[in-house]
Amino acid sequence: MQFETALAFAQKLDRTDPLKSYRKLFHIPKINGQEAIYLCGNSLGLQPKSAEKHIKTELYDWKNLGVEGHLHAKNPWLYYHHFFSESISNLVGAKKSEVVVMNQLSVNLNLMLISFYRPKGKKIKVLMQANEFPSDYYAVEQQIKLHGLNPKKCLVEVMPRKGEITLRTEDVIDKIKELKDELALVMFSAINYYTGQLYEIEKISKACCEHRIVFGLDLAHAIGNVPLQLHKWNVDFATWCSYKYLNSGPGGVSGVFVHEYHAKNFDLPRLAGWWGNDEKTRFKMPKHFVPQPGAAGWQLSNAPVLSMATHKASLEIFDKAGMRAIRQKSEILTGYLRWLIEQNPTSDFRIITPLNVHERGAQLSIQTLNNGKKIFDKLTKAGVIADWREPDVIRVAPAPLYNTYTDVWRFAQLLCT
Ligand SMILES: *Cc1c(COP(=O)(O)O)cnc(C)c1O
């Protein structure tokens, strides 16, 4: 698309936007009585207006039915996690039996590592990307220690080349080949939280398959942002959170993907609780754990219905809009933002997110070369909600469900003047 600098161009894109009706489904925060330019959907997505109704439904049923709500609520609580199978399997590209909604991200990360990091003989190392999110480092580090191994030796990072900030797929694959006899696991965030780089998951997965290395993904910044095909790509396991692009509320419920290939491998060690047990015998209270096949067999506790209610509200919007339309708008919206910033000839900024649309989602990470924090504070004062990362990066993520081309235009205007 040929972009233009005039505000009228942004307004025209808004008028012809196939997703334009979705913005009014969300509460937009206000600053000084004006709708904010909210570009923080990669950190906490906005509240769907329907969230309140969904929570009220559960409160009402709890009030009037008490324990009977497990079976007789409008959405029977006993089966709550089942209500997400279809929507989530569409979002991550999986079979319904390969996904389950439960717990929170860092908890699930640990649960998955217990089952899928199985160091043995010389294969004891875990490969991660440089500058990974701290929670992911901590989880891997502790799991290595749980096996009585040394994280300094076993946790290996792929580093960007000298003078570069993002990773090259070929370097990741070369590292996998180099360490093929020592790697037990490759554990990657599909999108790096800092740079916004989207990795070439299919290629990395293929390299792992070739060398029989387990491949796990953290989809915190990818789910609801970019289309995924976890089943087809032969990813072994994945986990995510729902409060970023999925708009399901602060601390919202997480989920996991376990490839069908492992569905009936009951020899995999795992932590257990009654919710992972065979549903037919769950209430017979058997003494020995009989896991359900598939991802559901990794559940521990009964569903946190109140937080799942907002997840349900949000996923109904995703079902209706569809990832294809969301991604289509996202590519143009973020591409337009990048273009606008780059039109500024006296630019004090460098965008560190890859230029190639196949290597990014909605986020742009803007490195400031001078007075970054000052610029950021000026933006905040002017009604922008974005994210500052030390030492010098402003992260912005136009979310296609509620951000407009005019938002992006106004932001670029404020940034560059
Ligand atoms: C947001 C995020 C987390 C946060 O973990 P919680 O358990 O939800 O607090 C962890 N890892 C990555 C990569 C993230 O982006």
PDB file of all heavy atoms in Angstrom, residues 104-107 109 132-133 135-136 189 193 218 220-221 241 243-244, ligand 1:
ATOM      1  N   GLN A 104      -1.536 -19.811  35.368  1.00  0.00           N
ATOM      2  CA  GLN A 104      -0.944 -18.618  34.785  1.00  0.00           C
ATOM      3  C   GLN A 104       0.365 -18.979  34.093  1.00  0.00           C
ATOM      4  O   GLN A 104       0.890 -20.075  34.274  1.00  0.00           O
ATOM      5  CB  GLN A 104      -0.778 -17.559  35.857  1.00  0.00           C
ATOM      6  CG  GLN A 104      -2.150 -16.973  36.188  1.00  0.00           C
ATOM      7  CD  GLN A 104      -2.123 -16.062  37.363  1.00  0.00           C
ATOM      8  OE1 GLN A 104      -1.879 -16.496  38.463  1.00  0.00           O
ATOM      9  NE2 GLN A 104      -2.358 -14.799  37.105  1.00  0.00           N
ATOM     10  N   LEU A 105       0.864 -18.048  33.326  1.00  0.00           N
ATOM     11  CA  LEU A 105       1.952 -18.360  32.409  1.00  0.00           C
ATOM     12  C   LEU A 105       3.196 -18.953  33.087  1.00  0.00           C
ATOM     13  O   LEU A 105       3.661 -20.025  32.702  1.00  0.00           O
ATOM     14  CB  LEU A 105       2.315 -17.116  31.587  1.00  0.00           C
ATOM     15  CG  LEU A 105       3.563 -17.170  30.722  1.00  0.00           C
ATOM     16  CD1 LEU A 105       3.569 -18.366  29.788  1.00  0.00           C
ATOM     17  CD2 LEU A 105       3.697 -15.892  29.911  1.00  0.00           C
ATOM     18  N   SER A 106       3.719 -18.271  34.082  1.00  0.00           N
ATOM     19  CA  SER A 106       4.970 -18.770  34.669  1.00  0.00           C
ATOM     20  C   SER A 106       4.761 -20.116  35.362  1.00  0.00           C
ATOM     21  O   SER A 106       5.659 -20.959  35.393  1.00  0.00           O
ATOM     22  CB  SER A 106       5.560 -17.751  35.645  1.00  0.00           C
ATOM     23  OG  SER A 106       5.797 -16.543  34.963  1.00  0.00           O
ATOM     24  N   VAL A 107       3.565 -20.318  35.899  1.00  0.00           N
ATOM     25  CA  VAL A 107       3.233 -21.620  36.499  1.00  0.00           C
ATOM     26  C   VAL A 107       3.269 -22.690  35.409  1.00  0.00           C
ATOM     27  O   VAL A 107       3.905 -23.739  35.548  1.00  0.00           O
ATOM     28  CB  VAL A 107       1.829 -21.581  37.165  1.00  0.00           C
ATOM     29  CG1 VAL A 107       1.421 -22.968  37.640  1.00  0.00           C
ATOM     30  CG2 VAL A 107       1.812 -20.581  38.304  1.00  0.00           C
ATOM     31  N   LEU A 109       4.701 -22.603  32.552  1.00  0.00           N
ATOM     32  CA  LEU A 109       6.058 -22.761  32.031  1.00  0.00           C
ATOM     33  C   LEU A 109       6.797 -23.815  32.856  1.00  0.00           C
ATOM     34  O   LEU A 109       7.425 -24.730  32.320  1.00  0.00           O
ATOM     35  CB  LEU A 109       6.746 -21.393  32.158  1.00  0.00           C
ATOM     36  CG  LEU A 109       7.849 -20.988  31.225  1.00  0.00           C
ATOM     37  CD1 LEU A 109       7.457 -21.196  29.777  1.00  0.00           C
ATOM     38  CD2 LEU A 109       8.171 -19.502  31.457  1.00  0.00           C
ATOM     39  N   GLU A 132      15.918 -12.798  26.735  1.00  0.00           N
ATOM     40  CA  GLU A 132      14.614 -13.408  26.975  1.00  0.00           C
ATOM     41  C   GLU A 132      13.984 -12.731  28.199  1.00  0.00           C
ATOM     42  O   GLU A 132      14.672 -12.086  29.000  1.00  0.00           O
ATOM     43  CB  GLU A 132      14.820 -14.919  27.191  1.00  0.00           C
ATOM     44  CG  GLU A 132      13.594 -15.747  27.487  1.00  0.00           C
ATOM     45  CD  GLU A 132      12.504 -15.635  26.438  1.00  0.00           C
ATOM     46  OE1 GLU A 132      11.739 -14.641  26.496  1.00  0.00           O
ATOM     47  OE2 GLU A 132      12.396 -16.517  25.579  1.00  0.00           O
ATOM     48  N   PHE A 133      12.682 -12.875  28.340  1.00  0.00           N
ATOM     49  CA  PHE A 133      11.955 -12.320  29.486  1.00  0.00           C
ATOM     50  C   PHE A 133      12.443 -13.012  30.777  1.00  0.00           C
ATOM     51  O   PHE A 133      12.644 -14.217  30.781  1.00  0.00           O
ATOM     52  CB  PHE A 133      10.466 -12.602  29.268  1.00  0.00           C
ATOM     53  CG  PHE A 133       9.544 -11.827  30.144  1.00  0.00           C
ATOM     54  CD1 PHE A 133       9.077 -10.584  29.748  1.00  0.00           C
ATOM     55  CD2 PHE A 133       9.121 -12.342  31.362  1.00  0.00           C
ATOM     56  CE1 PHE A 133       8.196  -9.873  30.547  1.00  0.00           C
ATOM     57  CE2 PHE A 133       8.246 -11.638  32.170  1.00  0.00           C
ATOM     58  CZ  PHE A 133       7.780 -10.395  31.764  1.00  0.00           C
ATOM     59  N   SER A 135      11.173 -14.084  33.598  1.00  0.00           N
ATOM     60  CA  SER A 135      10.454 -15.237  34.150  1.00  0.00           C
ATOM     61  C   SER A 135      10.884 -16.535  33.459  1.00  0.00           C
ATOM     62  O   SER A 135      11.024 -17.581  34.093  1.00  0.00           O
ATOM     63  CB  SER A 135       8.950 -15.041  33.983  1.00  0.00           C
ATOM     64  OG  SER A 135       8.238 -15.657  35.020  1.00  0.00           O
ATOM     65  N   ASP A 136      11.106 -16.456  32.179  1.00  0.00           N
ATOM     66  CA  ASP A 136      11.473 -17.638  31.400  1.00  0.00           C
ATOM     67  C   ASP A 136      12.883 -18.106  31.773  1.00  0.00           C
ATOM     68  O   ASP A 136      13.139 -19.306  31.905  1.00  0.00           O
ATOM     69  CB  ASP A 136      11.364 -17.344  29.895  1.00  0.00           C
ATOM     70  CG  ASP A 136       9.954 -16.880  29.514  1.00  0.00           C
ATOM     71  OD1 ASP A 136       9.490 -15.875  30.087  1.00  0.00           O
ATOM     72  OD2 ASP A 136       9.320 -17.535  28.678  1.00  0.00           O
ATOM     73  N   SER A 189      10.736 -17.747  23.233  1.00  0.00           N
ATOM     74  CA  SER A 189       9.552 -16.923  23.071  1.00  0.00           C
ATOM     75  C   SER A 189       9.360 -16.727  21.576  1.00  0.00           C
ATOM     76  O   SER A 189      10.320 -16.397  20.873  1.00  0.00           O
ATOM     77  CB  SER A 189       9.743 -15.550  23.714  1.00  0.00           C
ATOM     78  OG  SER A 189       9.419 -15.616  25.068  1.00  0.00           O
ATOM     79  N   TYR A 193       9.957  -9.976  23.684  1.00  0.00           N
ATOM     80  CA  TYR A 193       9.185  -8.883  24.307  1.00  0.00           C
ATOM     81  C   TYR A 193       9.866  -7.529  24.133  1.00  0.00           C
ATOM     82  O   TYR A 193       9.200  -6.496  24.116  1.00  0.00           O
ATOM     83  CB  TYR A 193       8.984  -9.172  25.808  1.00  0.00           C
ATOM     84  CG  TYR A 193      10.184  -8.813  26.658  1.00  0.00           C
ATOM     85  CD1 TYR A 193      10.217  -7.634  27.392  1.00  0.00           C
ATOM     86  CD2 TYR A 193      11.304  -9.637  26.692  1.00  0.00           C
ATOM     87  CE1 TYR A 193      11.329  -7.288  28.156  1.00  0.00           C
ATOM     88  CE2 TYR A 193      12.412  -9.290  27.446  1.00  0.00           C
ATOM     89  CZ  TYR A 193      12.422  -8.118  28.172  1.00  0.00           C
ATOM     90  OH  TYR A 193      13.521  -7.768  28.901  1.00  0.00           O
ATOM     91  N   ASP A 218       7.103 -19.992  24.271  1.00  0.00           N
ATOM     92  CA  ASP A 218       6.334 -19.072  25.079  1.00  0.00           C
ATOM     93  C   ASP A 218       5.641 -18.119  24.104  1.00  0.00           C
ATOM     94  O   ASP A 218       6.304 -17.425  23.332  1.00  0.00           O
ATOM     95  CB  ASP A 218       7.264 -18.306  26.030  1.00  0.00           C
ATOM     96  CG  ASP A 218       6.497 -17.380  26.957  1.00  0.00           C
ATOM     97  OD1 ASP A 218       5.446 -16.858  26.541  1.00  0.00           O
ATOM     98  OD2 ASP A 218       6.961 -17.172  28.087  1.00  0.00           O
ATOM     99  N   ALA A 220       3.552 -15.588  24.884  1.00  0.00           N
ATOM    100  CA  ALA A 220       3.008 -14.414  25.585  1.00  0.00           C
ATOM    101  C   ALA A 220       2.729 -13.250  24.631  1.00  0.00           C
ATOM    102  O   ALA A 220       1.680 -12.619  24.697  1.00  0.00           O
ATOM    103  CB  ALA A 220       3.954 -13.975  26.693  1.00  0.00           C
ATOM    104  N   HIS A 221       3.680 -12.983  23.726  1.00  0.00           N
ATOM    105  CA  HIS A 221       3.526 -11.845  22.817  1.00  0.00           C
ATOM    106  C   HIS A 221       3.048 -12.250  21.423  1.00  0.00           C
ATOM    107  O   HIS A 221       2.986 -11.417  20.522  1.00  0.00           O
ATOM    108  CB  HIS A 221       4.850 -11.082  22.706  1.00  0.00           C
ATOM    109  CG  HIS A 221       5.108 -10.226  23.902  1.00  0.00           C
ATOM    110  ND1 HIS A 221       4.807  -8.883  23.939  1.00  0.00           N
ATOM    111  CD2 HIS A 221       5.590 -10.536  25.133  1.00  0.00           C
ATOM    112  CE1 HIS A 221       5.106  -8.399  25.139  1.00  0.00           C
ATOM    113  NE2 HIS A 221       5.592  -9.381  25.879  1.00  0.00           N
ATOM    114  N   CYS A 241      -0.025 -16.248  27.983  1.00  0.00           N
ATOM    115  CA  CYS A 241      -0.908 -15.569  28.926  1.00  0.00           C
ATOM    116  C   CYS A 241      -2.031 -14.940  28.115  1.00  0.00           C
ATOM    117  O   CYS A 241      -1.943 -14.844  26.893  1.00  0.00           O
ATOM    118  CB  CYS A 241      -0.151 -14.523  29.737  1.00  0.00           C
ATOM    119  SG  CYS A 241       0.702 -13.304  28.729  1.00  0.00           S
ATOM    120  N   TYR A 243      -3.596 -11.856  29.000  1.00  0.00           N
ATOM    121  CA  TYR A 243      -3.895 -10.457  29.332  1.00  0.00           C
ATOM    122  C   TYR A 243      -3.201  -9.466  28.412  1.00  0.00           C
ATOM    123  O   TYR A 243      -3.423  -8.266  28.521  1.00  0.00           O
ATOM    124  CB  TYR A 243      -3.526 -10.156  30.792  1.00  0.00           C
ATOM    125  CG  TYR A 243      -2.127 -10.574  31.177  1.00  0.00           C
ATOM    126  CD1 TYR A 243      -1.042  -9.768  30.879  1.00  0.00           C
ATOM    127  CD2 TYR A 243      -1.898 -11.784  31.813  1.00  0.00           C
ATOM    128  CE1 TYR A 243       0.240 -10.164  31.211  1.00  0.00           C
ATOM    129  CE2 TYR A 243      -0.623 -12.185  32.155  1.00  0.00           C
ATOM    130  CZ  TYR A 243       0.446 -11.370  31.853  1.00  0.00           C
ATOM    131  OH  TYR A 243       1.710 -11.778  32.176  1.00  0.00           O
ATOM    132  N   LYS A 244      -2.346  -9.949  27.497  1.00  0.00           N
ATOM    133  CA  LYS A 244      -1.686  -9.035  26.560  1.00  0.00           C
ATOM    134  C   LYS A 244      -2.620  -8.849  25.361  1.00  0.00           C
ATOM    135  O   LYS A 244      -3.662  -8.239  25.503  1.00  0.00           O
ATOM    136  CB  LYS A 244      -0.301  -9.576  26.216  1.00  0.00           C
ATOM    137  CG  LYS A 244       0.621  -9.514  27.452  1.00  0.00           C
ATOM    138  CD  LYS A 244       1.978 -10.136  27.298  1.00  0.00           C
ATOM    139  CE  LYS A 244       2.771  -9.950  28.596  1.00  0.00           C
ATOM    140  NZ  LYS A 244       3.977 -10.792  28.666  1.00  0.00           N
TER     141      LYS A 244
HETATM  142  C1  LIG B   1       4.361 -11.290  29.953  1.00  0.00           C
HETATM  143  C2  LIG B   1       5.337 -12.394  30.002  1.00  0.00           C
HETATM  144  C3  LIG B   1       5.465 -13.217  31.138  1.00  0.00           C
HETATM  145  C4  LIG B   1       4.643 -12.950  32.380  1.00  0.00           C
HETATM  146  O1  LIG B   1       4.425 -14.112  33.126  1.00  0.00           O
HETATM  147  P1  LIG B   1       3.177 -14.223  34.126  1.00  0.00           P
HETATM  148  O2  LIG B   1       3.330 -15.563  34.714  1.00  0.00           O
HETATM  149  O3  LIG B   1       1.933 -14.052  33.304  1.00  0.00           O
HETATM  150  O4  LIG B   1       3.299 -13.134  35.140  1.00  0.00           O
HETATM  151  C5  LIG B   1       6.382 -14.253  31.085  1.00  0.00           C
HETATM  152  N1  LIG B   1       7.147 -14.476  29.972  1.00  0.00           N
HETATM  153  C6  LIG B   1       7.046 -13.690  28.873  1.00  0.00           C
HETATM  154  C7  LIG B   1       7.888 -13.974  27.685  1.00  0.00           C
HETATM  155  C8  LIG B   1       6.158 -12.623  28.867  1.00  0.00           C
HETATM  156  O5  LIG B   1       6.086 -11.832  27.793  1.00  0.00           O
END
